[in-house]
Amino acid sequence: MWQLWTPADMWSFVEKAPAGDAAAVLAQMDACAETSWMMNMGPRKGELIEAAVRDRRPRRILEVGSFLNYMSIRMARSMPADATLTTIEIDEETYDVGGRIRRRALGADVLGRVDAVRANFSDAVRTLAKPFDVVLMDHWKPDYARDLEALRTRGLLADGALVIADNVLFPGAPELLDALAVPYLRTTDEVSGQACLRAAADLDEKTLRRLKAERAGIRRRGGDDAAADLREADAVLAAAARLAAARPARDAVSGRGRLVPRTS
């Protein structure tokens, strides 16, 4: 599902911000996202990641999935004066508008240390030569595990590198959770842990109920095309059920913050 606002809508907000004022640009991006859903990470997670960048003082940062450069701007303004940021985006429209937004927000001294690449990560990774100290993954969730392994096997993760992956519980990146084998999740954080598991489980239940109701409606109406429609409905329902089963259960996080095994 695509967001309700388009990249052009975002720019209509951002262009009201003064040039070179990153805080004002970010505020306009947040205002756009609050008006109608947009795939921004948002200020709460954004501030956490900026704090991590300031604390780590990385020399090289990699962002996979720039979208409209919200986190590119946040990380670029918080990284050390001698650090560089490489940000990768596959979509042409978001890459173009995101570049305009980034140039609106950042001064020339910082812009010169940001390398924006328009490519699929599987292609871009072949061009990366030096290891990164911080990696932010916010692209296609099923690719997280594969792409993290590509970074590891190519020696592109510095010793002690910090890797941040967004939305691993909702909408979910079960392949990454499997690859990491029982990650540690803090239940007190409202953007992850138990609250997120419950939200994902609630959405899965509502989706499965709706799909089952639609299938029952096809059976009741009958008709010449009912058989084909039922096959299609069965396939959609089966795919939704597989996705729901792949997520951690709503009660998978214990009081100490660890994932516990699914029992069914």
Side-chain angles (χ1 to χ4, degrees):
M1 181 179 69
W2 189 244
Q3 69 273 338
L4 301 182
W5 278 144
T6 67
D9 293 321
M10 179 66 86
W11 175 250
S12 72
F13 278 74
V14 168
E15 65 180 347
K16 300 172 186 176
D21 189 338
V25 168
L26 291 168
Q28 288 297 110
M29 297 182 82
D30 289 331
C32 178
E34 290 168 2
T35 305
S36 188
W37 184 70
M38 196 87 181
M39 292 190 295
N40 271 8
M41 192 171 287
R44 297 187 67 181
K45 287 191 280 186
E47 289 164 7
L48 287 172
I49 293 172
E50 280 196 85
V53 169
R54 289 192 296 268
D55 180 65
R56 290 268 179 159
R57 298 190 58 80
R59 297 292 302 276
R60 288 170 49 80
I61 303 175
L62 174 65
E63 179 184 27
V64 187
S66 337
F67 189 50
L68 292 174
N69 281 245
Y70 182 87
M71 284 308 305
S72 306
I73 294 167
R74 282 189 171 274
M75 292 191 294
R77 73 175 183 176
S78 294
M79 67 187 184
D82 59 349
T84 60
L85 166 65
T86 300
T87 182
I88 300 170
E89 172 60 38
I90 188 173
D91 183 79
E92 182 176 5
E93 182 183 13
T94 54
Y95 176 85
D96 290 342
V97 177
R100 291 166 63 190
I101 292 173
R102 185 178 66 254
R103 291 188 292 273
R104 186 78 173 189
L106 301 174
D109 57 331
V110 180
L111 282 173
R113 293 182 287 113
V114 177
D115 181 20
V117 179
R118 188 174 79 81
N120 188 303
F121 176 79
S122 59
D123 295 325
V125 71
R126 301 188 184 100
T127 70
L128 303 176
K130 296 180 181 179
F132 294 91
D133 305 296
V134 171
V135 176
L136 173 61
M137 305 179 77
D138 191 17
H139 57 306
W140 184 240
K141 314 313 170 193
D143 291 348
Y144 278 7
R146 181 198 67 188
D147 294 345
L148 181 59
E149 179 63 9
L151 289 171
R152 188 190 68 80
T153 57
R154 289 177 176 271
L156 294 171
L157 296 177
D159 290 343
L162 173 66
V163 178
I164 304 165
D166 194 28
N167 304 129
V168 296
L169 294 179
F170 183 71
E175 299 88 352
L176 180 64
L177 294 180
D178 288 344
L180 295 179
V182 193
Y184 188 85
L185 303 167
R186 297 190 181 277
T187 61
T188 56
D189 186 346
E190 294 180 4
V191 297
S192 65
Q194 196 68 57
C196 201
L197 291 177
R198 287 173 180 161
D202 288 344
L203 179 61
D204 287 336
E205 290 170 6
K206 290 175 183 178
T207 300
L208 291 173
R209 284 199 300 269
R210 176 178 59 81
L211 293 174
K212 289 175 182 177
E214 291 175 358
R215 186 184 186 284
I218 295 171
R219 290 182 64 87
R220 284 195 299 272
R221 71 167 167 79
D224 295 339
D225 55 353
D229 289 345
L230 277 173
R231 286 193 296 272
E232 182 178 355
D234 285 339
V236 172
L237 181 58
R242 286 194 299 272
L243 178 61
R247 300 191 203 278
R250 68 166 62 240
D251 57 353
V253 178
S254 70
R256 293 186 177 181
R258 293 189 179 279
L259 278 177
V260 296
R262 179 187 285 271
T263 57
S264 61

